[in-house]
């Protein structure tokens, strides 16, 4: 089945779907050019399939397309950014130390 990441702005979240089934979400809030990412979750029965990574990748791609920086309060999002240094520029230099990302680009 096809995996898609869909923005559902009226609910303040991105959803990862397998077919028509919502199997995970990433909540967000946008203000002043910043996308705050406080929480992600994936249905535990769907674990180990890379759905969380697909979700975060889609969220960060959307932030980049919209010209937004991100505030990765969610530990899963922070970990993804650490593992994918090409996304590190989405966190402002001023915010990197707050999220433990200050040395990730050195």
């Amino acid at each position: 089945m096809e995996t898609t990441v869909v923005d559902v702005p009226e609910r303040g979240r991105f959803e990862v779907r397998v077919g028509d089934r919502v199997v995970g979400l990433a909540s967000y809030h946008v203000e002043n050019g910043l996308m705050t990412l406080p929480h992600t979750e994936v249905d535990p029965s769907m674990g180990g399939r890379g759905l969380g990574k697909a979700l975060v990748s889609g969220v960060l791609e959307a932030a980049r397309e919209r010209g937004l920086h991100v505030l990765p309060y969610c530990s899963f999002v922070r970990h993804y950014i650490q593992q994918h240094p090409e996304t590190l520029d989405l966190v402002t230099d001023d915010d990197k130390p707050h999220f433990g990302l200050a040395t990730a680009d050195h």
Side-chain angles (χ1 to χ4, degrees):
M1 294 197 113
E2 184 181 2
T3 300
T4 55
V5 176
V6 180
D7 186 6
V8 186
E10 64 275 11
R11 299 190 77 181
R13 69 189 200 185
F14 284 83
E15 296 175 347
V16 62
R17 300 174 181 173
V18 175
D20 292 333
R21 181 176 167 215
V22 176
V23 295
L25 62 90
S27 57
Y28 74 92
H29 174 75
V30 176
E31 187 175 337
N32 298 323
L34 293 170
M35 180 183 280
T36 302
L37 300 167
H39 178 74
T40 59
E41 63 182 75
V42 172
D43 181 334
S45 72
M46 299 297 286
R49 300 179 192 193
L51 295 169
K53 290 179 183 178
L55 174 60
V56 173
S57 176
V59 169
L60 296 179
E61 186 177 312
R64 186 178 302 286
E65 289 172 359
R66 297 171 192 179
L68 301 171
H69 283 99
V70 299
L71 297 173
Y73 288 100
C74 172
S75 61
F76 189 84
V77 175
R78 279 196 311 276
H79 181 74
Y80 182 94
I81 291 171
Q82 288 171 329
Q83 298 298 311
H84 297 86
E86 69 278 8
T87 63
L88 193 58
D89 65 307
L90 291 170
V91 181
T92 69
D93 288 341
D94 288 345
D95 288 328
K96 287 176 186 171
H98 178 75
F99 295 106
L101 298 169
T103 59
D105 60 351
H106 297 294

